[in-house]
Amino acid sequence: MPIYFNTVHHVDLRQAAWFSALPWFMMAVLGYAAGAVSDMLIKKGVSVTYTRKIMQTIGFVGPAICLLGLNAAKNPSVASAWLTAALGLSSFSHSGFLVNFQEVAPRYAGVLHGMSNTAGTLAAILGTVGAGFFVQKMGSFRGFILLTSLLYLFCALFWDIFATGEQVEFDAVA
């Protein structure tokens, strides 16, 4: 984020650090709100599957839209607001896929979470390196931000089609 603010909006790197801290704070705050909303929906009788799909959709479609806004931002304050909204809304996915492991496979939740976390970490490492190459090759962040937005939308659609909140019996004998 500091490199984005420095490169695109010509913000001094020391000041860019402040622009980069606020989104993570918002993510923490909205993460708690998302958990409360998720619990409330389930208590009101909304199915676990539908609740997880709602949370995940907010957690992916929200940031996708915000990243499009980020691409259009003309100054660092507006860019920071879009980025803050994007990370804040992404925290809703913690009440989507992240808790889904315990519901789908309580016996294997730890293993599934570990596999998911490993895949996510590898994607983050490759994504960071890839973003650098992409931005260097294309000459701007715009294409990379657009690609990220499209990936968010595709993943939201995939989740909404295939996800479940119902327990899967992996050990059932056929």
Side-chain angles (χ1 to χ4, degrees):
M1 278 190 253
I3 292 172
Y4 165 81
F5 281 107
N6 179 261
T7 304
V8 174
H9 297 289
H10 311 292
V11 175
D12 178 81
L13 282 175
R14 287 177 298 231
Q15 188 182 6
W18 288 106
F19 280 102
S20 301
L22 185 58
W24 298 104
F25 174 76
M26 184 59 71
M27 185 181 206
V29 171
L30 285 184
Y32 286 109
V37 169
S38 177
D39 288 346
M40 180 200 65
L41 288 171
I42 292 169
K43 285 179 185 170
K44 288 191 177 222
V46 177
S47 74
V48 172
T49 296
Y50 192 61
T51 298
R52 297 300 171 234
K53 288 182 179 192
I54 291 169
M55 295 294 113
Q56 194 63 42
T57 299
I58 294 169
F60 277 2
V61 173
I65 293 168
C66 291
L67 289 175
L68 295 175
L70 176 65
N71 249 354
K74 301 294 184 210
N75 66 61
S77 296
V78 172
S80 180
W82 281 115
L83 213 48
T84 299
L87 259 68
L89 290 170
S90 75
S91 68
F92 277 74
S93 68
H94 297 166
S95 295
F97 88 92
L98 200 57
V99 295
N100 197 239
F101 298 121
Q102 289 92 340
E103 296 152 350
V104 173
R107 183 172 176 186
Y108 301 103
V111 172
L112 291 172
H113 187 78
M115 290 169 58
S116 173
N117 201 30
T118 300
T121 300
L122 292 174
I125 292 167
L126 294 174
T128 302
V129 173
F133 285 125
F134 192 96
V135 169
Q136 187 176 20
K137 185 86 170 157
M138 301 303 283
S140 78
F141 280 87
R142 292 182 61 79
F144 185 74
I145 291 171
L146 178 61
L147 175 63
T148 303
S149 182
L150 292 173
L151 285 171
Y152 263 126
L153 292 171
F154 172 76
C155 290
L157 180 63
F158 186 88
W159 177 269
D160 286 344
I161 291 170
F162 295 107
T164 184
E166 304 303 317
Q167 187 170 344
V168 177
E169 292 298 329
F170 290 104
D171 295 332
V173 178

